[in-house]
Amino acid sequence: MGPEQLVFVWLMLSSLGLFGVIFGWRYMRNRENMAMIEKGIDPNIKPERPRPAPFRNLKWGLLLVGAGVGLFFAYLLDNTLLYNIGHNFDKFENEHYVNGGNVSIYFALIAIGGGLGLIASYRIEKKELLDKQQDK
């Protein structure tokens, strides 16, 4: 199978997939509306928006801050302590290039930082919940 044929197959599959997603979305929406009509609910009335969740923003904020701190820490490690592992310098051509030896530390420290942010969010939420229960 040549590249032209693979492009044609990919185009056909992606078109069919897009059609299937749109058809499935409309079909499920119609079924939902029919179920609402059967229960006597007007499907044109939009339901009330849920109450704001105050800790959702805290959780996302701490997750992103933790990932950012992890990324910054990985950059510092890559360019200081682990510089000789991931960077090469060609003495004859006076060229500096990165060989990709420290790529995994970036992903690892982003995950660690994000996880620490989520743990911090959990502890803050738990402390707030316990304080509310003690006030009652």
Side-chain angles (χ1 to χ4, degrees), residues 11-116:
L11 256 160
M12 291 298 295
L13 288 175
S14 62
S15 298
L16 287 173
L18 181 65
F19 173 76
V21 166
I22 292 172
F23 178 78
W25 178 69
R26 292 293 297 168
Y27 178 75
M28 293 307 290
R29 182 75 184 239
N30 187 31
R31 287 193 54 157
E32 180 183 9
N33 286 342
M34 293 304 289
M36 290 175 76
I37 290 171
E38 286 176 2
K39 291 183 179 182
I41 302 171
D42 186 10
N44 293 328
I45 298 175
K46 303 287 183 203
E48 290 183 26
R49 297 185 76 185
R51 290 180 285 161
F55 291 119
R56 181 176 43 189
N57 293 334
L58 173 71
K59 187 176 294 186
W60 277 103
L62 287 174
L63 174 68
L64 293 175
V65 166
V69 167
L71 185 62
F72 179 68
F73 189 59
Y75 174 77
L76 288 177
L77 280 176
D78 186 24
N79 288 313
T80 56
L81 295 175
L82 303 173
Y83 191 79
N84 293 331
I85 297 172
H87 299 264
N88 291 338
F89 186 76
D90 193 353
K91 295 178 183 176
F92 298 111
E93 296 181 14
N94 289 333
E95 290 185 12
H96 172 267
Y97 58 94
V98 178
N99 67 9
N102 296 332
V103 173
S104 60
I105 197 157
Y106 284 90
F107 292 107
L109 286 175
I110 288 172
I112 290 169
L116 290 174

Side-chain angles (χ1 to χ4, degrees), residues 110-127:
I110 288 172
I112 290 169
L116 290 174
L118 288 174
I119 290 170
S121 171
Y122 170 75
R123 289 186 177 212
I124 291 170
E125 289 177 24
K126 185 177 176 183
K127 182 178 180 278

